[in-house]
Amino acid sequence: MATVPSHNNLLTINHKNSITGHHSSSVNTKFSEINFPAKFQVATRALSRTDESSLSAVISRLERERRERQGLIDEAEGVGERWLTAEDIRRRDKKTEEERRLRDTWRKIQGEDDWAGLIDPMDPILRSELIRYGEMAQACYDAFDFDPASKYCGTSRFSRLDFFDSLGMIDSGYEVARYLYATSNINLPNFFSKSRWSKVWSKNANWMGYVAVSDDETSRNRLGRRDIAIAWRGTVTKLEWIADLKDYLKPVSGNNIRCPDPAVKVESGFLDLYTDKDTTCKFAKFSAREQILTEVKRLVEIYGDDDDSDLSITVTGHSLGGALAMLSAYDIAEMGLNRSKNGKVIPVTVLTYGGPRVGNVRFKDRMEELGVKVLRVVNVHDVVPKSPGLFLNESRPHALMKIAEGLPWCYSHVGEELALDHQNSPFLKPSVDLSTSHNLEAMLHLLDGYHGKGERFVLSSGRDHALVNKASDFLKEHLQIPPFWRQDANKGMVRNSEGRWIQAERLRSEDHHSPDIHHHLSQLRLDHPL
């Protein structure tokens, strides 16, 4: 007969539907081995009149009550072996409540009312969503191979089919539909990472990000709609690209982008990066623009008129990726791709982190006319959001901007700004450094602790502050988190079947352009100049 153990004062009950999942028709307990509370002793006097299954039920119920008093509970109501602390339970319940609220209010969180009343004080649902989309942008850095000693330098280290799982984001709820590539140009040479080897995957292309779509369960139970997410990679260099900017505006229509107003202008380097292509390279033979528009068109055709759920388009990016996010969102709306076949308008939202200015006042006005909602998260000590247009920008008097709006150096930010200050965090070094103040993981940490202007910095989700030092030295020394701690195992080297160390083949056919891209280009009339 089995014995109820007293080890660690936890009871393990073996019966049908018990917490261990085993099946047994009987339970035998040596009560002398257990120090039972008075409540338990009263219950045992009645056990002589019950069968063995009743004994098991009583023990299970009383043990559960004891665990609850100690702040421990089974994570899955009788399934599994992992115990959650009371704090874990609180966070789980909080997440469940936030998901319920998000399903009901997602349009406001996506900027329907320009985030009025949601930023100060900080709405917890908006905070969670900003962190979630920021992590999707951060994934572009975590997956990017920027090692010049790798023949795959400039690619994603993972296949798109297992992208999120490879990064440990197993509960992302999204599937990557397409990888995005761009080709280098003379305006932004330092934006691209290149291998030092002669035999490489591409001499002129870099992986730039991805287009993903939420799966059925996430769309239905967490988001309240289907979401097309576009994430752009920022620079992985020491920001030399700021100095490389030609810093002059040129008409959007100058690169064959549809625009009814020739006065709408954007920074020339950003525009070239978005529209350039290299027909000799299988990865960059279509421009980043063509890749984006055709994929969005394909996904809208699939999900746009779904009667069971709404659809949203969310574009995110950090640093220079924020500029590309702004451009691509504008282009999607200008091309009318945010309308389904039945005429349903699909909201387009841009969430950027440490992004620079992109265009002039007319570009800002046109974005507003198209209904594109923009929220920019910045660190007040970061120089990137202050450029280009350091002297002529939206902060100047309206009369002066009106006079100067025709100049090629007159820029304006778009949308709403959420300004954070890393000196408010007790975890971060207060010193101002160009690279650390621009760090995306640090911004996500600041978001987690931000509750409103003048409010005390308190982490709300328990997001690990050690993530800040993944690729920086920004955390205070007493926290004892090593700087730049994230490393790739063996620099991508693996052993083959012969026991030799090699760089494993990385690029797969599914990471190339989809075969129907020519069809969608033709429908969009992008296979020839507009």
Side-chain angles (χ1 to χ4, degrees):
M1 300 294 285
T3 300
V4 179
S6 58
H7 180 63
N8 289 335
N9 293 325
L10 288 177
L11 299 175
T12 303
I13 310 303
N14 291 320
H15 67 97
K16 192 172 183 178
N17 296 327
S18 70
I19 61 172
T20 59
H22 299 304
H23 298 265
S24 177
S25 60
S26 65
V27 175
N28 184 15
T29 307
K30 293 183 179 179
F31 295 99
S32 61
E33 296 182 5
I34 306 176
N35 183 20
F36 290 106
K39 182 179 179 181
F40 195 103
Q41 294 174 14
V42 173
T44 58
R45 286 197 290 269
L47 292 179
S48 60
R49 299 189 299 272
T50 63
D51 58 18
E52 291 175 335
S53 62
S54 297
L55 167 63
S56 176
V58 171
I59 294 175
S60 296
R61 178 174 60 81
L62 293 176
E63 171 56 21
R64 179 179 178 83
E65 291 176 359
R66 188 190 64 79
R67 290 203 312 269
E68 289 175 343
R69 287 196 301 271
Q70 291 182 348
L72 300 173
I73 192 169
D74 187 13
E75 181 179 17
E77 291 296 326
V79 179
E81 299 287 341
R82 177 175 176 266
W83 304 105
L84 298 178
T85 66
E87 180 64 18
D88 290 332
I89 297 170
R90 186 191 67 80
R91 289 173 180 166
R92 182 191 61 185
D93 292 345
K94 177 183 176 183
K95 181 179 179 181
T96 300
E97 174 61 19
E98 286 183 353
E99 288 176 352
R100 184 194 65 77
R101 281 193 55 203
L102 176 60
R103 293 195 299 269
D104 296 335
T105 63
W106 69 266
R107 290 185 181 275
K108 292 185 181 297
I109 298 299
Q110 291 291 107
E112 180 181 56
D113 299 325
D114 297 316
W115 298 279
L118 298 180
I119 295 178
D120 188 20
M122 189 68 182
D123 182 85
I125 312 301
L126 176 59
R127 179 199 295 112
S128 296
E129 287 296 277
L130 287 173
I131 292 175
R132 187 171 69 84
Y133 283 109
E135 288 176 338
M136 296 182 81
Q138 178 64 42
C140 294
Y141 291 118
D142 294 342
F144 188 68
D145 186 346
F146 53 86
D147 183 2
S150 167
K151 68 178 180 180
Y152 296 112
C153 181
T155 68
S156 168
R157 295 185 294 115
F158 311 113
S159 166
R160 70 172 179 85
L161 298 181
D162 56 5
F163 180 79
F164 290 115
D165 287 353
S166 299
L167 290 167
M169 301 170 68
I170 56 177
D171 61 346
S172 72
Y174 284 73
E175 298 171 354
V176 176
R178 173 175 289 184
Y179 272 173
L180 302 173
Y181 298 88
T183 186
S184 58
N185 59 77
I186 59 173
N187 288 336
L188 300 170
N190 286 306
F191 183 63
F192 280 74
S193 296
K194 295 184 178 181
S195 174
R196 69 185 187 187
W197 308 117
S198 57
K199 294 183 179 180
V200 294
W201 70 285
S202 172
K203 294 184 180 299
N204 299 312
N206 262 201
W207 178 74
M208 301 298 301
Y210 57 89
V211 181
V213 61
S214 58
D215 59 32
D216 292 343
E217 181 180 357
T218 298
S219 302
R220 180 175 57 254
N221 298 329
R222 290 169 56 185
L223 303 181
R225 87 280 185 189
R226 183 83 59 177
D227 185 43
I228 299 172
I230 304 167
W232 288 99
R233 176 179 66 80
T235 178
V236 293
T237 67
K238 295 181 180 179
L239 307 181
E240 296 96 334
W241 62 270
I242 295 178
D244 294 329
L245 291 176
K246 287 189 175 180
D247 197 25
Y248 70 83
L249 295 156
K250 73 175 182 179
V252 171
S253 56
N255 284 45
N256 292 322
I257 293 181
R258 181 183 301 172
C259 182
D261 185 356
V264 174
K265 299 178 181 180
V266 296
E267 200 281 324
S268 60
F270 301 155
L271 190 60
D272 289 344
L273 182 61
Y274 182 60
T275 58
D276 277 3
K277 61 176 131 180
D278 182 356
T279 56
T280 65
C281 174
K282 64 181 179 181
F283 293 94
K285 64 181 178 180
F286 302 105
S287 67
R289 179 187 186 229
E290 291 171 332
Q291 297 166 49
I292 282 284
L293 296 184
T294 54
E295 187 60 21
V296 170
K297 179 180 180 297
R298 185 183 74 85
L299 293 173
V300 168
E301 287 180 355
I302 296 173
Y303 301 112
D305 291 314
D306 187 350
D307 295 331
D308 295 331
S309 65
D310 292 312
L311 182 64
S312 64
I313 300 173
T314 311
V315 196
T316 186
H318 169 252
S319 187
L320 191 50
L324 294 172
M326 204 80 73
L327 269 176
S328 53
Y330 158 78
D331 202 9
I332 289 168
E334 190 73 86
M335 292 291 291
L337 296 183
N338 62 325
R339 289 183 179 272
S340 69
K341 288 183 178 180
N342 293 337
K344 185 191 300 184
V345 178
I346 302 163
V348 180
T349 303
V350 184
L351 304 174
T352 69
Y353 306 80
R357 295 187 182 93
V358 177
N360 63 356
V361 175
R362 282 300 301 136
F363 176 72
K364 176 185 78 71
D365 293 343
R366 185 58 182 162
M367 289 276 278
E368 294 173 353
E369 291 169 5
L370 292 169
V372 178
K373 301 299 182 179
V374 179
L375 179 57
R376 298 176 291 103
V377 180
V378 303
N379 183 344
V380 295
H381 302 286
D382 185 7
V383 67
V384 174
K386 301 172 184 177
S387 63
L390 187 60
F391 301 107
L392 291 175
N393 55 60
E394 71 286 342
S395 66
R396 302 302 179 187
H398 178 74
L400 175 61
M401 291 295 290
K402 192 68 177 175
I403 296 173
E405 66 179 3
L407 297 177
W409 312 281
C410 186
Y411 286 79
S412 178
H413 267 309
V414 180
E416 305 300 318
E417 180 178 274
L418 172 54
L420 307 173
D421 187 343
H422 73 257
Q423 293 182 341
N424 290 335
S425 169
F427 297 85
L428 304 180
K429 297 175 181 176
S431 57
V432 176
D433 176 80
L434 178 62
S435 61
T436 53
S437 60
H438 189 57
N439 183 277
L440 176 54
E441 280 287 5
M443 290 185 199
L444 301 183
H445 165 76
L446 293 175
L447 275 170
D448 196 23
Y450 177 79
H451 296 267
K453 294 179 181 178
E455 297 293 329
R456 190 166 65 94
F457 186 94
V458 179
L459 295 179
S460 61
S461 72
R463 192 173 190 275
D464 193 352
H465 61 269
L467 294 170
V468 173
N469 265 17
K470 263 196 317 193
S472 74
D473 186 10
F474 203 3
L475 290 172
K476 291 181 177 178
E477 300 293 341
H478 75 270
L479 296 172
Q480 297 184 335
I481 305 297
F484 303 95
W485 55 260
R486 188 179 182 278
Q487 303 292 325
D488 297 333
N490 300 321
K491 292 188 177 293
M493 296 289 284
V494 298
R495 272 186 170 174
N496 64 10
S497 58
E498 299 175 352
R500 295 183 179 275
W501 286 93
I502 62 170
Q503 280 196 318
E505 182 64 34
R506 178 179 299 169
L507 300 173
R508 306 174 189 177
S509 58
E510 65 264 18
D511 295 338
H512 301 175
H513 305 300
S514 58
D516 61 353
I517 189 171
H518 289 286
H519 167 70
H520 291 295
L521 283 173
S522 177
Q523 289 190 325
L524 290 170
R525 293 189 295 171
L526 295 181
D527 52 347
H528 55 270
L530 295 173

